Amino acid sequence: MSTEQVEDLVQRRYDAGFVTDIESDTVPPGLDESVVRLISAKKEEPEWMLEWRLAAFRRWLEMDEPEWAHVHYPKIDFQDISYYSAPKTEPKYQSWDEVDPKLIETYDKLGVPLHERAKLAGVAVDAVFDSVSVGTTFRKELAEAGVIFCSFSEAVKDYPELVKQYLGSVVPPGDNYYAALNSAVFSDGSFVFIPKGVRCPMELSTYFRINELNTGQFERTLIVAEDDSYVSYLEGCTAPMRDENQLHAAVVELVALDRAQIKYSTVQNWYPGDEEGKGGIYNFVTKRGDCRGVDSKISWTQVETGSAVTWKYPSCILRGDGSSGEFYSVALTHNFQQADTGTKMVHIGRNTKSHIISKGISAGRGQNAYRGLVQVHRRADNARNYTQCDSLLIGDRCGAHTFPYIETRNPTANVEHEASTSKISEDQLFYCLQRGIGEEDAVSMIVDGFCKEVFRELPMEFAVEAKKLLEVSLEGAVG
Amino acid sequence: MLKIENLHAEVGGKEILKGLSLEVAAGEVAAIMGPNGSGKSTLANVLSGRPGYEVTQGRVSYQGEDLLALSPEERACAGVFLAFQYPVEIPGVNNTYFLRAALNAQRKARGEDELDSMEFLKLVREKLKTLHIKDDLLHRAVNEGFSGGEKKRNEVFQMAVLEPRLGILDETDSGLDIDALKIVADGVNQLRGEDRAFVVVTHYQRLLDYIVPDSVHVLADGQIVKSGDKDLALKLESEGYGWVARESAA
């Protein structure tokens, strides 16, 4: 089989690319202090929240856009983006019957049923549409367990003390350019609070959808797990197919106190752009977890198949003694997609451990870079890290790059890094064909095998979705 | 079952097969022998449809059908099985899963019901037992980290499960110790039957002590230059290929 044929196989079909025709309340493009004030006013926020936003905005004005990532895209005109868009019908959180049926239909099409009757078994969902949350399922059941799971806007109103205590404590507003922008204009997102000793009775999930043209999505997620608690959280995202690039700059903060465990899984399927590289989402995201307590654990699992440009490094600050961080990642780039993704593991406490498994798949002219930092501080005795970084190339016009940074200031540290690059070879494909397995099945089987170590970290429902997503991404013109 | 007429094939623009003709009847085991570079592996690859092997002339009919018109997977589903000279590793893909996908793809193509996990596992365990192969093979990834002998055993195991009509063994004996050789031979002998045929490509006579062929064909410079029964293989073993070449040149 020729290289072109192999590439044909990975021509994708983007299933989530439809637009929902719904009347929206969208502010005109442009960004200045008045827009920040407007967003805050629309969300009926308290004064302290507005002040927090404005401080972040002023920081942002003084910052420069980062250019160190291994990605190339035209300069973003931040005055050309609308920073707030919401469906006009006001959602009523008490009853799903009052939510615009078009919205429910949208999520149905995406495989995320919100209706009482059709709710996903065992998964509570917060659905975020453009700038607002349209509703959260299973609220009552969760409340009985003492778990708070709501939209970020509600949290600001209903749990101001918790938000004040933890917001920006992991990713400060001035952390980086996009985090500062997010802190100024963030619209909605999810808030999760697991009290002491509670094991969250079900998976929590937020489903993000960008719909409106020329709108940026800036959501904020904050998860706090108190002592001896556990939560597994899933995040999914899609957007319509549009010729224009759209910006998604999210911030996710996780806080794990003593012996708490947070498992955060993402299946990212933002619109990747077409075969010529036109359109697609710019996904510039700051995700960071703080293992603040002793023996706490934070685990990031991500399957990245979408976005035109991805710039994302879910990280763990291993502050508590005996804490551990994990990062499992599959990133697929195809056509003209570019991804610069990886993780940071910062060992501060004693006896801290981190484990990194990164799988990059490049097809078409896709460019895939792993960028990882393992940092061991002076006091972090007996820190352990293991990093494994594998790249799979499909065809001969794509690229894989690895940028590992290792900084250790403690002689007892044990840091291991392994890397490999391989190609789906014609030999492998022919071997499958000779056994009677068709081309598409063969490619997805080989890719699936390559990703196995990451897929088994995903919760069951997501593992199935992720596998399907890769299959669709690898689906092509055969037959 | 298999009829090859005046087959010419090129690899990278270089003609390797130069008018090869061969007939293999149902129930027959045909051994193809010949010196290095004579075109033995090319023949195996052309029959199974490997990309990069271009047929420039000639015909191959298999069970009355034009074999060369079929894609590699169609040939597989029609019962053509190639035991690879160099079996390929597919990291992370479980051997059992792979084999079940293969068997079910073939069954589906033939209009038969697919086997579920339980039925399949039962079948696989039976085959392992009759072939005296350890079942740790089932839990590993396809050929990943296998020794040379294990890879060849895995090929024979796959063949036993897929039960092909036409089995082509491409130097499956190379690099095997005597125990592994017996397992390979066993796999073929157990499948031998009236409605099956085998083409056994080998460089050495050794394998033919265990798989006794019905016919032996000597391939030299892209053509079959001599055919005979199993005694021909013994003669080749003791006298080498030189006399055949001289005889055919004369």
Side-chain angles (χ1 to χ4, degrees):
Chain A
M1 186 182 299
S2 68
T3 297
E4 290 80 52
Q5 283 172 303
V6 174
E7 285 182 1
D8 273 352
L9 281 176
V10 298
Q11 285 303 322
R12 66 175 54 202
R13 215 179 51 207
Y14 188 73
D15 278 346
F18 60 90
V19 178
T20 305
D21 181 18
I22 193 162
E23 244 191 297
S24 288
D25 170 17
T26 304
V27 303
L31 182 57
D32 55 26
E33 270 199 30
S34 71
V35 172
V36 177
R37 286 176 192 281
L38 180 72
I39 292 171
S40 189
K42 276 191 183 294
K43 306 195 92 62
E44 300 163 4
E45 286 178 351
E47 185 63 20
W48 62 267
M49 197 67 251
L50 173 63
E51 288 306 321
W52 199 84
R53 286 176 180 277
L54 289 172
F57 180 69
R58 286 167 201 140
R59 284 293 292 275
W60 180 72
L61 288 176
E62 292 162 12
M63 296 171 90
D64 292 317
E65 226 178 310
E67 281 169 0
W68 44 263
H70 192 83
V71 292
H72 305 277
Y73 54 92
K75 242 185 149 38
I76 297 171
D77 183 353
F78 290 93
Q79 296 306 329
D80 206 28
I81 296 170
S82 163
Y83 288 84
Y84 184 84
S85 175
K88 248 189 184 144
T89 46
E90 270 297 308
K92 298 280 188 293
Y93 294 111
Q94 280 70 28
S95 164
W96 285 97
D97 298 341
E98 291 169 58
V99 175
D100 192 315
K102 275 184 186 161
L103 282 174
I104 292 184
E105 197 185 305
T106 298
Y107 285 92
D108 265 349
K109 266 202 217 170
L110 296 169
V112 187
L114 300 173
H115 250 296
E116 288 297 324
R117 274 160 282 126
K119 279 187 302 196
L120 291 172
V123 183
V125 179
D126 182 23
V128 176
F129 192 85
D130 286 333
S131 301
V132 295
S133 167
V134 296
T136 312
T137 61
F138 286 110
R139 297 165 70 88
K140 222 178 75 201
E141 291 84 346
L142 289 169
E144 277 164 18
V147 171
I148 301 171
F149 179 42
C150 62
S151 73
F152 207 92
S153 315
E154 288 172 88
V156 170
K157 283 179 209 154
D158 299 343
Y159 312 99
E161 291 315 312
L162 284 175
V163 173
K164 258 194 231 172
Q165 187 182 347
Y166 291 105
L167 178 67
S169 73
V170 184
V171 180
D175 186 80
N176 68 68
Y177 190 78
Y178 294 105
L181 178 63
N182 174 288
S183 301
V185 301
F186 75 84
S187 37
D188 217 330
S190 300
F191 175 74
V192 176
F193 180 81
I194 317 289
K196 271 183 194 171
V198 171
R199 193 181 165 88
C200 186
M202 60 183 83
E203 307 272 356
L204 304 183
S205 166
T206 301
Y207 203 93
F208 295 103
R209 174 79 178 167
I210 299 179
N211 188 59
E212 200 60 27
L213 185 67
N214 290 333
T215 309
Q217 192 179 51
F218 305 91
E219 85 269 1
R220 189 123 197 152
T221 301
L222 174 58
I223 299 178
V224 178
E226 283 200 325
D227 297 354
D228 304 292
S229 66
Y230 169 87
V231 62
S232 169
Y233 179 89
L234 324 169
E235 176 201 285
C237 23
T238 56
M241 290 195 253
R242 296 190 186 282
D243 287 347
E244 297 78 13
N245 294 109
Q246 281 179 287
L247 178 62
H248 172 254
V251 170
V252 176
E253 296 179 279
L254 312 182
V255 179
L257 301 182
D258 289 353
R259 295 166 301 278
Q261 289 189 27
I262 302 175
K263 189 171 167 58
Y264 193 105
S265 312
T266 306
V267 173
Q268 186 263 103
N269 187 25
W270 293 120
Y271 178 53
D274 68 8
E275 284 112 80
E276 268 90 52
K278 205 168 178 199
I281 302 287
Y282 292 153
N283 191 33
F284 302 149
V285 171
T286 307
K287 289 184 166 174
R288 193 174 303 156
D290 189 354
C291 285
R292 213 166 276 182
V294 299
D295 299 327
S296 56
K297 181 175 170 183
I298 288 177
S299 173
W300 298 99
T301 306
Q302 59 172 21
V303 175
E304 304 270 318
T305 63
S307 299
V309 181
T310 296
W311 184 95
K312 173 178 169 187
Y313 315 92
S315 311
C316 295
I317 311 296
L318 304 170
R319 204 182 301 275
D321 289 347
S323 61
S324 60
E326 292 174 344
F327 175 74
Y328 300 96
S329 169
V330 168
L332 178 114
T333 55
H334 171 256
N335 291 328
F336 285 83
Q337 279 178 278
Q338 309 171 60
D340 193 303
T341 185
T343 184
K344 283 192 278 187
M345 292 292 174
V346 181
H347 294 256
I348 297 172
R350 293 183 178 85
N351 304 315
T352 47
K353 288 195 298 268
S354 61
H355 195 82
I356 300 170
I357 306 282
S358 164
K359 304 277 180 179
I361 303 161
S362 314
R365 293 172 192 271
Q367 292 292 327
N368 212 319
Y370 168 81
R371 186 183 303 275
L373 169 68
V374 176
Q375 199 176 55
V376 179
H377 284 212
R378 202 168 44 79
R379 285 182 55 257
D381 293 339
N382 302 316
R384 295 281 177 274
N385 161 264
Y386 175 77
T387 301
Q388 184 191 326
C389 199
D390 300 322
S391 306
L392 183 68
L393 304 175
I394 303 176
D396 53 12
R397 292 179 302 168
C398 51
H401 316 270
T402 306
F403 305 99
Y405 305 86
I406 297 169
E407 300 168 7
T408 58
R409 294 206 176 75
N410 185 310
T412 63
N414 186 338
V415 177
E416 279 179 78
H417 181 95
E418 284 182 27
S420 77
T421 302
S422 55
K423 278 186 84 160
I424 287 194
S425 66
E426 295 186 356
D427 287 348
Q428 282 175 326
L429 273 175
F430 177 64
Y431 193 71
C432 297
L433 296 179
Q434 211 300 308
R435 297 299 183 251
I437 299 166
E439 289 172 334
E440 282 183 11
D441 290 341
V443 170
S444 60
M445 188 184 276
I446 294 166
V447 170
D448 192 36
F450 176 74
C451 301
K452 179 158 271 175
E453 286 154 289
V454 174
F455 283 171
R456 69 171 170 228
E457 294 299 324
L458 287 170
M460 188 58 168
E461 303 79 15
F462 252 31
V464 173
E465 191 185 328
K467 249 171 105 158
K468 261 197 278 179
L469 195 56
L470 278 197
E471 256 163 47
V472 168
S473 303
L474 297 164
E475 199 164 80
V478 171
Chain B
M1 166 154 317
L2 180 70
K3 189 174 179 189
I4 304 171
E5 292 170 280
N6 189 32
L7 185 64
H8 290 254
E10 295 180 353
V11 180
K14 186 167 182 275
E15 186 167 62
I16 308 286
L17 298 183
K18 304 169 181 172
L20 184 148
S21 298
L22 176 71
E23 267 191 68
V24 183
E28 186 178 342
V29 174
I32 311 289
M33 302 185 71
N36 285 331
S38 58
K40 299 190 300 289
S41 285
T42 300
L43 174 62
N45 285 319
V46 166
L47 291 178
S48 56
R50 192 183 199 110
Y53 291 77
E54 202 190 332
V55 174
T56 50
Q57 245 191 84
R59 296 212 322 240
V60 179
S61 93
Y62 164 72
Q63 295 186 316
E65 250 188 295
D66 179 5
L67 184 70
L68 301 177
L70 302 179
S71 68
E73 65 270 35
E74 286 167 343
R75 296 182 201 195
C77 293
V80 177
F81 179 93
L82 173 66
F84 283 63
Q85 186 176 3
Y86 305 107
V88 182
E89 299 193 7
I90 310 179
V93 176
N94 176 273
N95 214 16
T96 314
Y97 177 78
F98 174 80
L99 193 48
R100 189 175 146 221
L103 180 64
N104 279 338
Q106 296 197 11
R107 290 180 69 98
K108 205 171 155 189
R110 292 194 293 259
E112 297 164 13
D113 282 343
E114 298 183 28
L115 296 187
D116 66 29
S117 308
M118 294 311 288
E119 292 166 329
F120 180 73
L121 211 61
K122 201 171 151 236
L123 170 72
V124 155
R125 295 210 180 277
E126 273 166 27
K127 296 290 181 186
L128 283 176
K129 215 168 149 192
T130 55
L131 288 173
H132 305 287
I133 297 177
K134 278 187 245 143
D135 68 354
D136 69 322
L137 206 69
L138 299 179
H139 311 300
R140 296 164 69 181
V142 181
N143 294 321
E144 195 185 22
F146 282 29
S147 70
E150 284 174 325
K151 284 184 182 171
K152 297 295 174 70
R153 256 176 275 184
N154 196 24
E155 294 292 290
V156 170
F157 167 58
Q158 292 184 13
M159 185 170 78
V161 172
L162 296 174
E163 299 184 331
R165 279 294 167 88
L166 175 65
I168 304 164
L169 279 71
D170 186 8
E171 302 207 20
T172 303
D173 52 332
S174 63
L176 289 190
D177 61 28
I178 203 76
D179 292 332
L181 198 66
K182 279 183 185 162
I183 287 179
V184 168
D186 230 28
V188 174
N189 290 331
Q190 286 183 21
L191 280 179
R192 278 174 94 149
E194 279 177 15
D195 51 359
R196 281 205 183 93
F198 289 90
V199 172
V200 179
V201 172
T202 180
H203 190 69
Y204 301 104
Q205 195 272 335
R206 196 175 62 146
L207 177 65
L208 306 180
D209 287 341
Y210 302 97
I211 305 173
V212 180
D214 299 302
S215 60
V216 175
H217 308 270
V218 180
L219 185 55
D221 196 25
Q223 291 184 332
I224 301 289
V225 293
K226 193 161 186 65
S227 298
D229 61 14
K230 63 183 190 327
D231 296 335
L232 177 59
L234 293 170
K235 186 167 180 193
L236 289 168
E237 179 78 358
S238 59
E239 299 178 26
Y241 290 104
W243 66 272
V244 187
R246 278 191 301 279
E247 199 174 80
S248 69

